[in-house]
Amino acid sequence: MSVDAATVRHIAKLARIAVSDAEVEALAPELTNMLGWVEQLQEVDVEGVEPMTAVIPNRLRLRDDIVTDGGRRDDVLANAPAAEHGFFAVPKVIE
Amino acid sequence: MSDYRIHGANGEWEVVIGLEVHAQITATASKLFSGAATEFGAEPNTQVSLVDAAMPGMLPVPNRECIRQAVRTGMALEAKINPWSRFDRKNYFYADLPQGYQISQLYHPIVGEGEIEILLDDKDESTAKRIGVERIHLEQDAGKLMHDQHPSFSYVDLNRSGVALMEIVSKPDMRSPEEAGAYIRKLRAILRYVGSCDGNMEQGSMRADVNVSVRRPGGALGTRTETKNVNSVRFIMAAIEYEANRQVDLLEAGGAVVQETRLWDPDKAETRSLRSKEEAHDYRYFPDPDLLPVELSDGFLEECRASLPELPDAKRRRYEGALGLSPYNASVLTADVTTARWFEALLEKLGDQHAQRASNWVTSDLFGALNRLGRTIEDSPVTPVQAAELLRLTADGTLSGTLAKQVFEIMLETGGDPARIVEERGLKQTSDTGAIDAAIADVLAANPDKVAEFRGGKDKLFGFFVGQVMKAMQGKAHPGVVNDLLRKALG
Amino acid sequence: MTGLTDLGIAAIRDGVRDGAFSAREVARAFSDAVEKGRALNAFTAETPDHALAAADAADSARASGELKPLSGVPLGIKDLFATEGVATTAGSRILDGFKPRYESTVSANLFAAGAGMLGKLNMDEFAMGSSNETSAWGPVLSPWRRSDGGNAALTPGGSSGGSAAAVAARLAPGVTGTDTGGSIRQPAALVGITGIKPTYGRCSRWGVVAFASSLDQAGPMARDVRDCAVLLEAMAGFDPKDSTSLDLPVPNWEAALSSDVRGKRIGIPREYRIEGVPAEIDRVWERGIELMRDAGAEIVEVSLPHTKYALPTYYIIAPAEASSNLARYDGVRYGLREAPENGNLTDMYEATRAAGFGAEVKRRIMIGTYVLSAGFYDAYFNRAQKVRALIARDFERVWSECDLLLTPTAPSAAFALGEKSTDPIAMYLNDVFAVPASLAGLPAISVPAGLNDEGLPLGLQLVGRALDEQGVLNAALALEERAGFNARPEAWW
Ligand SMILES: [Mg+2]
Ligand SMILES: [Zn+2]
């Protein structure tokens, strides 16, 4: 499994990380090596094996439907790089 | 069976429609995975927990009631309930999605296959058609973006972020805009009966992704487009019609339909491509490692089933059968849960034996009045108890039909109780022969010529005398008594 | 009073209780040590006031006879734990300036138990690394140096490198760490201290910046086994805010400590003897086996057949979860934002994440995104989860033959900064012995067992059954007593 530059750019796009040509250069062989290395899992016989769901046996607990949170806009916006009139602000989105 | 066809330049086309309805679980006070409130119309970002804002290290904890409402909804659609389901992450970046993923259910939804029966003509059982439901899964709603507040910024409000949605996915079983409309209306009715979703499309608690493709009748399926977030029955039907015709024109011009996401523009009444959101979609679903599988106990499932109310179809059939209502009345009275509840509250006071009369009164008199007043049954000035009272007064002869109408009008204005109105305004119907005899004497005395003509054999004048006497009695005289006494007097 | 910084957690707790010294004196001594130790770059933030306030509370609590389990004990907190009002960066530029309005459950538990905070500890960015070189705030230096006289700067290991260095250099009597694939155990081994990763679910993950949710576990790092037991008791506990938290009472691990391991069966997994591991590692392992046998334990050779697949399994699952967990760092609600001139939303995302994440984090996000992308889910992620199940099954089976496993903690002693950072996979091999227990969620501890020829510490790992922290701690205590490890780095900073 060899990862080419185009694939690196596609993955970087999905991950929303801008990559320079130099980074693409470097990442292609690195990802190729990594994937080559994990390839060895293909030799394991997993016939009839269920994928792990809970690492330690445990049951999902459900919450009661009670309002216990919210009403803390200051906390929510406190760290925002840009907040105006109680909103987070982002570069204009054209739909 | 619908024979709806698009008549293209070179032949007929069949339309294939599937709907993905996002129904907000309005039955819960808090969100799917956080304790923040879900009320509509709060100040921006005031119903947001640190979890909804995806602060570092925050974790989701599922709301039992959301699970319960999804299961009850599934049961109402006669669907397979999966006792083992799981939450997955749907990964994509958008400004209204704080986590960078939506917690949803792809691989193991909580509800499997079910179906919904629609009536193309809601008075005619023979127009019934069953539309398959593929699945129902639970997922988080996203936040809200506002684009018109600032020249260079879009504003983000996370109040909706994390609100519980049921995505109800139909099979591509619909063949016309009318069928799609009937499906949505029926689904909305069922959700409102179950109580899981208020079906309020204006407030966005119900919206649909509309999948449309066209093909030669009976031919192989064509390529579909998905028109997102259409938020009214009318728009859904219009979007289907527009999209179907657009695709036919495209195909007949030798073009091809692109599988894509489109947007409904209500102003231009057209769908348009949403390429902005289209770029390289690859959601990389995988099981959410912050959550364990959802396992439903038999006890939980039994409680869900036991808590279900009588649903519209069953109710309609019972109204027609046990109560003997006309198909029209039965379907009108069961179309919405509030009407049905109002009618049944009335029957509770009045007794089922009067069901037919009551149903006629509600569908004609009450609905007529509400229409006139521009009101819905929720804010009817007359309560079911008062209505029962009014109908009883007519039944026991206290009120004549005309008196009943007068009293009802007063009830609508004052909201008063009928018995009281009758008392205070002395609108009781009278059989007091003395008073009636006196009135008759006056009428005969005032019309000697007519009396002569009648006695001379002009029988049809009898009606005239009745009218005059009633008039003299201001409509309060018992018609039967008036007749008897008049015959005597004229005899 | 430099003597105070030579004391461990239990000693400080008891000394404060008995009035041998005041909590304030202790907090002062360690705060000064933190300041003097800046050359180690172990802390990303210093909070002496927090430590002193807790100390004063402890001193008055003593006066009124209301001492708590950790009254008077100042601690270092790994920068992965959200601390209210105190910068929390997870070693990443993308969280630069982030001051949480909330306190992680684990740090809140520690403070509720009377502990104070000396500061936030440097770490590999988002806990992704084994040498601390991926920290946006520069690498932590190990207080240790080779005995060859050369002053090569050595790694304290990672990702909890600041935590390890702080304890080894006596800048803190104990610290919190987190372990996703060895991040507590490997650094503990490299600096000659003790660190335990409890059973997955013992410590709440609420408020801990997520790396790989199905693997992340917090745990204590301290000078000895007893101190780890004391700290873990205060950190652990059921948390309804974490769906994967275990709803179980916290045992009194310290009270039940016992180095009597007679009759215990210690398993030596065949597959952990790996090609190319230096002889010094085998030697310390052999020594450990001897010491346990000497302590009356029964040594049994066992097999964990899928061991060789643990690392590749880990390097599919952890990056996959991380690629999703780190999607929230988008420049919208907190941390860094890079918004190019009249660029759109996507431009902002891409610029922010390009500038905010370091090379290793990007590498793992890319791998994780790749293995989850269309068409690869079954071949990679789903298969890895199946192999993970097989690895867990190996452990399940082995517990019928033994009660604990004894292995090396890391395949080498501390290495020089820059020595392995060029070859990712070589770096990943640091965790070859630690990762299997992480994949199975099992409790595992690293105990210092001796020095190599260069005078650098080497550690041994003990792995136990799920929830058997007690068994792990007791065996570790037996090893500790017999190994008699008391070497400590010469203070050069
Ligand atoms: Mg959809
Ligand atoms: Zn959806």
Side-chain angles (χ1 to χ4, degrees), chain A residues 60-62, chain B residues 32-33 60-63 66-67 70 84-90 102-110 137-140 164-165 285-295:
Chain A
L60 180 62
R61 287 174 304 274
L62 302 174
Chain B
L32 180 51
F33 295 113
V61 183
N63 180 337
C66 292
I67 307 273
W84 193 97
S85 68
R86 207 164 178 193
F87 288 104
D88 302 302
R89 291 183 183 181
K90 178 182 185 179
Q102 175 195 37
I103 305 179
S104 181
Q105 297 188 302
L106 175 71
Y107 298 108
H108 301 280
I110 189 160
H137 63 258
L138 277 163
E139 63 186 23
Q140 302 174 293
L165 301 177
Y285 280 96
F286 76 106
D288 191 325
D290 286 331
L291 294 162
L292 295 149
V294 182
E295 294 166 272

Short mmCIF file of all heavy atoms in Angstrom, two decimals, chain A residues 60-62, chain B residues 32-33 60-63 66-67 70 84-90 102-110 137-140 164-165 285-295:
data_model
loop_
_atom_site.label_atom_id
_atom_site.label_comp_id
_atom_site.label_asym_id
_atom_site.label_seq_id
_atom_site.Cartn_x
_atom_site.Cartn_y
_atom_site.Cartn_z
N LEU A 60 -23.85 0.59 29.69
CA LEU A 60 -24.13 2.01 29.48
C LEU A 60 -25.18 2.48 30.48
O LEU A 60 -26.24 1.88 30.61
CB LEU A 60 -24.65 2.25 28.06
CG LEU A 60 -24.97 3.70 27.70
CD1 LEU A 60 -23.74 4.58 27.80
CD2 LEU A 60 -25.57 3.79 26.31
N ARG A 61 -24.84 3.52 31.22
CA ARG A 61 -25.81 4.12 32.15
C ARG A 61 -26.54 5.24 31.44
O ARG A 61 -25.95 5.98 30.66
CB ARG A 61 -25.10 4.69 33.39
CG ARG A 61 -24.57 3.64 34.36
CD ARG A 61 -23.77 4.31 35.46
NE ARG A 61 -22.70 5.13 34.89
CZ ARG A 61 -21.51 4.64 34.57
NH1 ARG A 61 -21.26 3.35 34.74
NH2 ARG A 61 -20.59 5.42 34.06
N LEU A 62 -27.85 5.36 31.70
CA LEU A 62 -28.63 6.41 31.07
C LEU A 62 -28.98 7.48 32.10
O LEU A 62 -29.20 7.18 33.27
CB LEU A 62 -29.89 5.83 30.44
CG LEU A 62 -29.63 4.74 29.39
CD1 LEU A 62 -30.93 4.11 28.92
CD2 LEU A 62 -28.86 5.30 28.21
N LEU B 32 -29.83 15.30 24.15
CA LEU B 32 -29.54 13.86 24.02
C LEU B 32 -28.37 13.43 24.90
O LEU B 32 -28.41 12.39 25.54
CB LEU B 32 -29.26 13.54 22.54
CG LEU B 32 -28.93 12.10 22.17
CD1 LEU B 32 -29.96 11.12 22.71
CD2 LEU B 32 -28.81 11.95 20.65
N PHE B 33 -27.33 14.25 24.96
CA PHE B 33 -26.14 13.86 25.73
C PHE B 33 -25.71 14.87 26.78
O PHE B 33 -24.64 14.74 27.37
CB PHE B 33 -24.96 13.61 24.78
CG PHE B 33 -25.17 12.44 23.86
CD1 PHE B 33 -25.30 12.63 22.49
CD2 PHE B 33 -25.25 11.15 24.36
CE1 PHE B 33 -25.49 11.56 21.63
CE2 PHE B 33 -25.43 10.07 23.51
CZ PHE B 33 -25.55 10.28 22.15
N PRO B 60 -20.10 12.72 26.58
CA PRO B 60 -21.56 12.59 26.44
C PRO B 60 -22.13 11.56 27.42
O PRO B 60 -21.52 10.53 27.66
CB PRO B 60 -21.71 12.08 25.01
CG PRO B 60 -20.48 11.26 24.76
CD PRO B 60 -19.38 11.92 25.57
N VAL B 61 -23.29 11.88 28.00
CA VAL B 61 -24.03 10.91 28.81
C VAL B 61 -25.47 10.87 28.30
O VAL B 61 -26.17 11.88 28.34
CB VAL B 61 -24.02 11.29 30.31
CG1 VAL B 61 -24.74 10.24 31.14
CG2 VAL B 61 -22.59 11.47 30.82
N PRO B 62 -25.91 9.72 27.77
CA PRO B 62 -27.21 9.65 27.09
C PRO B 62 -28.41 9.85 28.02
O PRO B 62 -28.40 9.43 29.17
CB PRO B 62 -27.23 8.24 26.50
CG PRO B 62 -25.88 7.67 26.68
CD PRO B 62 -25.20 8.44 27.76
N ASN B 63 -29.44 10.47 27.45
CA ASN B 63 -30.69 10.78 28.13
C ASN B 63 -31.66 9.61 27.96
O ASN B 63 -32.06 9.30 26.83
CB ASN B 63 -31.26 12.06 27.49
CG ASN B 63 -32.55 12.51 28.11
OD1 ASN B 63 -33.27 11.72 28.72
ND2 ASN B 63 -32.86 13.79 27.95
N CYS B 66 -34.85 10.10 25.87
CA CYS B 66 -34.69 10.16 24.41
C CYS B 66 -34.73 8.75 23.83
O CYS B 66 -35.38 8.49 22.81
CB CYS B 66 -33.37 10.84 24.04
SG CYS B 66 -33.33 12.59 24.46
N ILE B 67 -34.02 7.83 24.48
CA ILE B 67 -34.01 6.43 24.04
C ILE B 67 -35.45 5.91 24.07
O ILE B 67 -35.94 5.32 23.10
CB ILE B 67 -33.14 5.58 24.99
CG1 ILE B 67 -31.74 6.18 25.17
CG2 ILE B 67 -33.12 4.12 24.56
CD1 ILE B 67 -30.73 5.78 24.15
N ALA B 70 -37.67 7.26 21.25
CA ALA B 70 -37.35 6.66 19.95
C ALA B 70 -37.95 5.26 19.86
O ALA B 70 -38.51 4.87 18.84
CB ALA B 70 -35.84 6.61 19.76
N TRP B 84 -30.13 -4.16 21.02
CA TRP B 84 -28.70 -3.81 21.08
C TRP B 84 -28.42 -2.82 19.97
O TRP B 84 -28.53 -3.16 18.79
CB TRP B 84 -27.84 -5.06 20.91
CG TRP B 84 -26.38 -4.90 21.25
CD1 TRP B 84 -25.78 -5.23 22.44
CD2 TRP B 84 -25.32 -4.40 20.41
NE1 TRP B 84 -24.43 -4.95 22.39
CE2 TRP B 84 -24.12 -4.45 21.16
CE3 TRP B 84 -25.27 -3.90 19.11
CZ2 TRP B 84 -22.89 -4.03 20.65
CZ3 TRP B 84 -24.04 -3.47 18.60
CH2 TRP B 84 -22.86 -3.55 19.38
N SER B 85 -28.13 -1.60 20.32
CA SER B 85 -27.78 -0.61 19.30
C SER B 85 -26.55 0.15 19.78
O SER B 85 -26.05 -0.08 20.88
CB SER B 85 -28.94 0.34 19.03
OG SER B 85 -29.18 1.17 20.15
N ARG B 86 -26.09 1.06 18.92
CA ARG B 86 -24.81 1.69 19.22
C ARG B 86 -24.73 3.08 18.60
O ARG B 86 -25.34 3.32 17.57
CB ARG B 86 -23.71 0.81 18.63
CG ARG B 86 -22.47 1.00 19.38
CD ARG B 86 -21.41 0.01 19.22
NE ARG B 86 -20.36 0.58 20.07
CZ ARG B 86 -19.11 0.22 20.09
NH1 ARG B 86 -18.73 -0.75 19.32
NH2 ARG B 86 -18.26 0.80 20.88
N PHE B 87 -23.99 3.95 19.23
CA PHE B 87 -23.77 5.28 18.66
C PHE B 87 -22.45 5.31 17.89
O PHE B 87 -21.45 4.75 18.34
CB PHE B 87 -23.74 6.34 19.76
CG PHE B 87 -25.10 6.61 20.35
CD1 PHE B 87 -25.44 6.12 21.61
CD2 PHE B 87 -26.05 7.35 19.64
CE1 PHE B 87 -26.69 6.37 22.15
CE2 PHE B 87 -27.31 7.60 20.18
CZ PHE B 87 -27.63 7.11 21.44
N ASP B 88 -22.51 5.94 16.72
CA ASP B 88 -21.31 6.11 15.90
C ASP B 88 -21.03 7.59 15.72
O ASP B 88 -21.92 8.42 15.89
CB ASP B 88 -21.53 5.47 14.51
CG ASP B 88 -21.87 4.00 14.60
OD1 ASP B 88 -21.06 3.25 15.17
OD2 ASP B 88 -22.95 3.62 14.12
N ARG B 89 -19.78 7.89 15.38
CA ARG B 89 -19.43 9.28 15.07
C ARG B 89 -19.43 9.48 13.56
O ARG B 89 -18.84 8.69 12.84
CB ARG B 89 -18.05 9.63 15.62
CG ARG B 89 -17.99 9.69 17.13
CD ARG B 89 -16.60 10.12 17.55
NE ARG B 89 -16.44 10.15 18.99
CZ ARG B 89 -15.30 10.52 19.58
NH1 ARG B 89 -14.24 10.85 18.84
NH2 ARG B 89 -15.21 10.54 20.90
N LYS B 90 -20.10 10.53 13.13
CA LYS B 90 -20.10 10.95 11.72
C LYS B 90 -19.20 12.18 11.65
O LYS B 90 -19.55 13.24 12.16
CB LYS B 90 -21.53 11.28 11.29
CG LYS B 90 -21.67 11.77 9.87
CD LYS B 90 -23.14 12.12 9.59
CE LYS B 90 -23.34 12.51 8.14
NZ LYS B 90 -24.77 12.82 7.86
N GLN B 102 -20.79 14.38 14.39
CA GLN B 102 -22.14 14.28 14.92
C GLN B 102 -22.28 12.87 15.50
O GLN B 102 -21.92 11.90 14.84
CB GLN B 102 -23.16 14.47 13.78
CG GLN B 102 -24.60 14.27 14.20
CD GLN B 102 -25.54 14.10 12.99
OE1 GLN B 102 -25.17 13.47 12.00
NE2 GLN B 102 -26.73 14.65 13.08
N ILE B 103 -22.75 12.77 16.74
CA ILE B 103 -23.01 11.43 17.28
C ILE B 103 -24.34 10.96 16.71
O ILE B 103 -25.37 11.61 16.88
CB ILE B 103 -23.03 11.42 18.82
CG1 ILE B 103 -21.73 12.01 19.38
CG2 ILE B 103 -23.23 10.00 19.34
CD1 ILE B 103 -21.67 12.05 20.90
N SER B 104 -24.28 9.86 15.95
CA SER B 104 -25.44 9.34 15.24
C SER B 104 -25.44 7.81 15.36
O SER B 104 -24.74 7.27 16.22
CB SER B 104 -25.34 9.79 13.78
OG SER B 104 -26.45 9.34 13.04
N GLN B 105 -26.20 7.14 14.55
CA GLN B 105 -26.20 5.67 14.55
C GLN B 105 -26.21 5.17 13.12
O GLN B 105 -27.23 5.27 12.46
CB GLN B 105 -27.43 5.12 15.28
CG GLN B 105 -27.53 5.47 16.75
CD GLN B 105 -28.68 4.75 17.43
OE1 GLN B 105 -29.83 4.88 17.03
NE2 GLN B 105 -28.37 3.96 18.46
N LEU B 106 -25.08 4.68 12.64
CA LEU B 106 -25.05 4.14 11.28
C LEU B 106 -25.15 2.62 11.27
O LEU B 106 -26.05 2.05 10.69
CB LEU B 106 -23.75 4.55 10.57
CG LEU B 106 -23.59 3.94 9.17
CD1 LEU B 106 -24.57 4.55 8.18
CD2 LEU B 106 -22.17 4.07 8.66
N TYR B 107 -24.25 1.97 11.98
CA TYR B 107 -24.12 0.52 11.86
C TYR B 107 -25.23 -0.24 12.60
O TYR B 107 -25.70 -1.26 12.12
CB TYR B 107 -22.74 0.07 12.36
CG TYR B 107 -21.60 0.64 11.55
CD1 TYR B 107 -20.76 1.63 12.05
CD2 TYR B 107 -21.38 0.20 10.24
CE1 TYR B 107 -19.72 2.15 11.30
CE2 TYR B 107 -20.33 0.71 9.48
CZ TYR B 107 -19.51 1.69 10.01
OH TYR B 107 -18.48 2.20 9.26
N HIS B 108 -25.63 0.27 13.77
CA HIS B 108 -26.64 -0.43 14.56
C HIS B 108 -27.70 0.54 15.08
O HIS B 108 -27.63 0.97 16.24
CB HIS B 108 -25.99 -1.17 15.74
CG HIS B 108 -24.97 -2.19 15.31
ND1 HIS B 108 -25.31 -3.44 14.87
CD2 HIS B 108 -23.62 -2.12 15.25
CE1 HIS B 108 -24.23 -4.12 14.56
NE2 HIS B 108 -23.18 -3.34 14.78
N PRO B 109 -28.69 0.93 14.22
CA PRO B 109 -29.72 1.87 14.65
C PRO B 109 -30.62 1.24 15.71
O PRO B 109 -30.72 0.02 15.80
CB PRO B 109 -30.50 2.15 13.37
CG PRO B 109 -30.30 0.94 12.53
CD PRO B 109 -28.90 0.44 12.85
N ILE B 110 -31.27 2.09 16.49
CA ILE B 110 -32.10 1.60 17.60
C ILE B 110 -33.40 0.99 17.09
O ILE B 110 -33.97 0.10 17.71
CB ILE B 110 -32.36 2.71 18.63
CG1 ILE B 110 -33.03 2.16 19.88
CG2 ILE B 110 -33.19 3.86 18.02
CD1 ILE B 110 -32.90 3.03 21.10
N HIS B 137 -32.98 6.18 13.51
CA HIS B 137 -31.83 6.27 14.41
C HIS B 137 -31.84 7.58 15.17
O HIS B 137 -32.48 8.55 14.78
CB HIS B 137 -30.52 6.04 13.66
CG HIS B 137 -30.21 7.07 12.62
ND1 HIS B 137 -30.40 6.85 11.28
CD2 HIS B 137 -29.72 8.32 12.73
CE1 HIS B 137 -30.02 7.91 10.61
NE2 HIS B 137 -29.61 8.84 11.46
N LEU B 138 -31.14 7.56 16.32
CA LEU B 138 -31.01 8.75 17.16
C LEU B 138 -29.75 9.49 16.77
O LEU B 138 -28.73 8.88 16.44
CB LEU B 138 -30.91 8.33 18.63
CG LEU B 138 -32.22 8.05 19.36
CD1 LEU B 138 -31.93 7.26 20.63
CD2 LEU B 138 -32.93 9.36 19.69
N GLU B 139 -29.81 10.81 16.81
CA GLU B 139 -28.61 11.59 16.55
C GLU B 139 -28.73 12.98 17.14
O GLU B 139 -29.81 13.40 17.56
CB GLU B 139 -28.32 11.65 15.06
CG GLU B 139 -29.39 12.35 14.24
CD GLU B 139 -29.13 12.25 12.75
OE1 GLU B 139 -28.41 11.33 12.31
OE2 GLU B 139 -29.65 13.11 12.02
N GLN B 140 -27.61 13.68 17.19
CA GLN B 140 -27.58 15.05 17.72
C GLN B 140 -27.93 16.04 16.62
O GLN B 140 -27.50 15.88 15.49
CB GLN B 140 -26.16 15.42 18.17
CG GLN B 140 -25.55 14.54 19.21
CD GLN B 140 -24.10 14.97 19.44
OE1 GLN B 140 -23.25 14.84 18.57
NE2 GLN B 140 -23.82 15.49 20.63
N ALA B 164 -31.87 16.23 20.73
CA ALA B 164 -32.10 14.89 20.20
C ALA B 164 -32.99 14.89 18.96
O ALA B 164 -34.05 15.50 18.96
CB ALA B 164 -32.74 14.01 21.27
N LEU B 165 -32.52 14.21 17.92
CA LEU B 165 -33.32 14.02 16.71
C LEU B 165 -33.54 12.54 16.49
O LEU B 165 -32.70 11.72 16.82
CB LEU B 165 -32.59 14.58 15.49
CG LEU B 165 -32.20 16.04 15.47
CD1 LEU B 165 -31.43 16.34 14.19
CD2 LEU B 165 -33.43 16.92 15.57
N TYR B 285 -17.33 7.19 9.51
CA TYR B 285 -18.09 6.68 10.66
C TYR B 285 -17.28 5.65 11.43
O TYR B 285 -16.62 4.81 10.84
CB TYR B 285 -19.35 5.98 10.16
CG TYR B 285 -20.51 6.87 9.77
CD1 TYR B 285 -20.72 7.24 8.45
CD2 TYR B 285 -21.42 7.29 10.73
CE1 TYR B 285 -21.80 8.02 8.10
CE2 TYR B 285 -22.51 8.07 10.37
CZ TYR B 285 -22.71 8.43 9.06
OH TYR B 285 -23.78 9.20 8.71
N PHE B 286 -17.34 5.72 12.75
CA PHE B 286 -16.82 4.62 13.58
C PHE B 286 -17.49 4.71 14.94
O PHE B 286 -18.00 5.76 15.33
CB PHE B 286 -15.28 4.68 13.69
CG PHE B 286 -14.75 5.75 14.62
CD1 PHE B 286 -14.22 5.42 15.86
CD2 PHE B 286 -14.78 7.09 14.24
CE1 PHE B 286 -13.73 6.40 16.72
CE2 PHE B 286 -14.29 8.07 15.09
CZ PHE B 286 -13.76 7.74 16.33
N PRO B 287 -17.57 3.59 15.68
CA PRO B 287 -18.29 3.57 16.96
C PRO B 287 -17.71 4.60 17.93
O PRO B 287 -16.49 4.70 18.07
CB PRO B 287 -18.06 2.15 17.49
CG PRO B 287 -17.74 1.33 16.28
CD PRO B 287 -17.00 2.26 15.35
N ASP B 288 -18.58 5.39 18.58
CA ASP B 288 -18.10 6.41 19.50
C ASP B 288 -17.47 5.76 20.73
O ASP B 288 -18.17 5.10 21.51
CB ASP B 288 -19.25 7.33 19.93
CG ASP B 288 -18.73 8.56 20.67
OD1 ASP B 288 -17.72 8.43 21.40
OD2 ASP B 288 -19.32 9.64 20.51
N PRO B 289 -16.15 5.92 20.91
CA PRO B 289 -15.47 5.25 22.03
C PRO B 289 -15.81 5.86 23.39
O PRO B 289 -15.44 5.29 24.42
CB PRO B 289 -13.99 5.45 21.70
CG PRO B 289 -13.93 6.67 20.85
CD PRO B 289 -15.23 6.72 20.09
N ASP B 290 -16.53 6.98 23.40
CA ASP B 290 -16.95 7.56 24.68
C ASP B 290 -18.21 6.90 25.21
O ASP B 290 -18.62 7.17 26.34
CB ASP B 290 -17.21 9.07 24.53
CG ASP B 290 -15.93 9.87 24.39
OD1 ASP B 290 -14.90 9.42 24.93
OD2 ASP B 290 -15.95 10.93 23.73
N LEU B 291 -18.86 6.08 24.38
CA LEU B 291 -20.15 5.50 24.76
C LEU B 291 -20.14 3.98 24.61
O LEU B 291 -19.50 3.44 23.71
CB LEU B 291 -21.25 6.09 23.89
CG LEU B 291 -21.52 7.58 24.09
CD1 LEU B 291 -22.28 8.16 22.91
CD2 LEU B 291 -22.27 7.81 25.40
N LEU B 292 -20.86 3.31 25.49
CA LEU B 292 -21.01 1.86 25.41
C LEU B 292 -22.26 1.55 24.60
O LEU B 292 -23.09 2.44 24.37
CB LEU B 292 -21.12 1.28 26.82
CG LEU B 292 -19.86 1.46 27.67
CD1 LEU B 292 -20.20 1.60 29.13
CD2 LEU B 292 -18.90 0.31 27.45
N PRO B 293 -22.42 0.30 24.14
CA PRO B 293 -23.63 -0.07 23.40
C PRO B 293 -24.90 0.17 24.24
O PRO B 293 -24.86 0.07 25.47
CB PRO B 293 -23.44 -1.56 23.12
CG PRO B 293 -21.96 -1.78 23.18
CD PRO B 293 -21.46 -0.81 24.22
N VAL B 294 -25.99 0.50 23.55
CA VAL B 294 -27.27 0.70 24.22
C VAL B 294 -27.98 -0.65 24.29
O VAL B 294 -28.29 -1.24 23.26
CB VAL B 294 -28.17 1.69 23.44
CG1 VAL B 294 -29.48 1.92 24.17
CG2 VAL B 294 -27.43 2.99 23.20
N GLU B 295 -28.19 -1.17 25.50
CA GLU B 295 -28.86 -2.46 25.66
C GLU B 295 -30.20 -2.26 26.35
O GLU B 295 -30.25 -1.72 27.46
CB GLU B 295 -27.96 -3.42 26.44
CG GLU B 295 -26.69 -3.77 25.69
CD GLU B 295 -25.63 -4.42 26.57
OE1 GLU B 295 -24.82 -3.68 27.17
OE2 GLU B 295 -25.63 -5.66 26.66
#
